[in-house]
Amino acid sequence: MNIKKHVKRGLWSHLMKSGIEMGLASIIYEVGVASKYVNHAMRTGDLGLAGTSNLYGEDQLALDVVADEIIKDRLDHTGRVSRIISEEQSEIIIFERKNRKGGYSVCYDPLDGSSLVDVNLSVGTIVAIYAGDDPLQNGRKQVGAMYVLYGPRTTLVYGAGNGVHEFTLNNLGEYVLTQEYIQIREQGNIFSPGGIRRDYLPEHEKIVTKFEADGYKLRYSGGFVPDINQILLKGGGLFMYPATTTAKQGKLRLPFELNPMAYLVELAGGAATDGQKPILDLDCNDLDQRSPVYIGSRKEVALAAQFFN
Ligand code: AHM
Ligand code: MG
């Protein structure tokens, strides 16, 4: 038996074959390692809520806090990260060590959609990577982005300049290549409209009405990672989280959620806009910066943007 034939391609070997710079490759790989512990915590942890006590009278930590700590430690461990920002932290965190200079900055949402864990729906980790010491850069400057989807299967999707690739966690704890160079078609047939219809602005109301009239199928889970993953892997469709009468900048955050997903979707041939400008061209000045978003196939994104121009 040829054993080599039966060994599928793992994440590290893929990163090395792609010729990605070592520091960047180790960040992507270490987030993958961290995600196994997040996955384990989520699937085996006490079903307690933050602020309550466990069996031993100790305070429970919310899963998103646990996930934040795990990922932070693994990023520190790479020795290649100088600054991080996390959706769970209110400030930029500096990893103090001389050799960190000239490394990378990482923005991440450790467990997006964490409230969905309680009702057993899919959630994810989202990560954006920049060269240098500034984590609040324009999204176009990303050198890599990735997400991990904790669903019926745990999958990792990364892109670093050359294609978007999917890996699946196997029973041996390895991320094994499932698909390379994932492509989004110019047009799809599903749409995911976030927000509450009562609070829609007139332009957005017209967009949703148009997609309904055109026969698009509704596919909205309430989790950004599974919703984007569906569009990416089905090869088309549109996700939107609009500005509303109650949230003028929408809900989703630019540094942790929108920039990394826009990077991956563009790399796969899709597009992402706030209605006026590509998401990746928006200036990012604040950890809590939000933006409306229309993201997915090029045709649907362009059609949505027409209603604002
Ligand atoms: P979170 O970062 O607080 O988890 O919120 C982000 C989530 C996304 O996963 C999802 O697209 C959106 O919030 C759904 O929000 P809502 O249920 O308020 O419409
Ligand atoms: Mg989030």
Side-chain angles (χ1 to χ4, degrees):
M1 183 172 92
N2 182 350
I3 292 177
K4 248 188 158 174
K5 248 181 155 177
H6 295 271
V7 177
K8 296 228 174 114
R9 195 136 155 234
L11 178 59
W12 183 251
S13 114
H14 193 271
L15 289 162
M16 289 301 97
K17 258 207 158 146
S18 307
I20 292 170
E21 194 279 319
M22 206 55 152
L24 178 56
S26 58
I27 291 167
I28 294 169
Y29 184 76
E30 287 296 335
V31 172
V33 173
S35 71
K36 298 176 200 177
Y37 292 91
V38 174
N39 193 35
H40 180 76
M42 194 154 31
R43 295 189 197 275
T44 60
D46 289 347
L47 295 174
L49 301 170
T52 62
S53 297
N54 67 13
L55 204 60
Y56 313 102
E58 297 159 333
D59 283 345
Q60 297 269 358
L61 286 178
L63 267 176
D64 39 16
V65 178
V66 172
D68 186 40
E69 282 298 317
I70 293 170
I71 295 168
K72 187 166 79 155
D73 285 352
R74 293 313 300 197
L75 288 174
D76 195 6
H77 176 74
T78 64
R80 299 301 302 264
V81 178
S82 64
R83 305 272 189 285
I84 58 167
I85 55 174
S86 153
E87 210 191 74
E88 287 300 313
Q89 309 281 344
S90 52
E91 284 174 0
I92 297 175
I93 295 175
I94 300 170
F95 288 150
E96 297 280 8
R97 249 182 252 161
K98 287 199 187 86
N99 65 357
R100 297 286 160 78
K101 216 162 181 260
Y104 293 90
S105 294
V106 178
C107 312
Y108 65 97
D109 185 348
L111 204 60
D112 181 73
S114 54
S115 67
L116 298 174
V117 173
D118 293 342
V119 291
N120 206 16
L121 284 174
S122 300
V123 295
T125 295
I126 317 173
V127 179
I129 308 165
Y130 297 90
D133 289 340
D134 182 7
L136 285 176
Q137 297 188 46
N138 176 299
R140 186 78 60 199
K141 300 227 171 96
Q142 285 169 97
V143 293
M146 64 190 293
Y147 63 79
V148 177
L149 172 59
Y150 311 97
R153 292 180 295 138
T154 301
T155 56
L156 180 155
V157 170
Y158 92 86
N162 181 23
V164 177
H165 318 293
E166 185 201 32
F167 297 77
T168 301
L169 190 61
N170 69 13
N171 284 336
L172 299 171
E174 304 157 329
Y175 276 112
V176 173
L177 182 65
T178 347
Q179 284 190 64
E180 280 183 302
Y181 300 99
I182 297 165
Q183 281 292 311
I184 296 182
R185 293 184 305 276
E186 201 181 341
Q187 183 174 10
N189 62 1
I190 57 175
F191 78 131
S192 311
I196 300 172
R197 194 159 199 145
R198 181 200 60 193
D199 300 335
Y200 284 177
L201 297 171
E203 296 86 350
H204 186 71
E205 172 79 46
K206 285 183 202 146
I207 292 169
V208 171
T209 305
K210 166 83 179 142
F211 284 113
E212 284 169 346
D214 287 352
Y216 279 74
K217 283 189 271 186
L218 181 66
R219 290 286 183 272
Y220 185 73
S221 77
F224 190 43
V225 178
D227 284 339
I228 292 293
N229 187 68
Q230 177 162 209
I231 288 169
L232 198 61
L233 297 195
K234 288 208 167 137
L238 178 69
F239 176 94
M240 20 195 177
Y241 208 104
T244 63
T245 52
T246 52
K248 301 279 185 228
Q249 292 306 314
K251 173 177 183 187
L252 297 180
R253 290 174 173 89
L254 190 59
F256 315 109
E257 293 162 338
L258 299 184
N259 272 337
M261 288 308 200
Y263 176 88
L264 291 170
V265 165
E266 277 206 11
L267 206 53
T273 178
D274 68 350
Q276 312 281 348
K277 275 175 99 171
I279 291 292
L280 294 179
D281 291 331
L282 300 175
D283 287 333
C284 186
N285 304 309
D286 184 30
L287 272 69
D288 196 38
Q289 192 168 329
R290 294 159 196 253
S291 168
V293 67
Y294 297 84
I295 179 169
S297 294
R298 281 200 309 278
K299 191 161 177 200
E300 283 90 347
V301 171
L303 186 68
Q306 271 176 23
F307 286 86
F308 293 98
N309 293 297

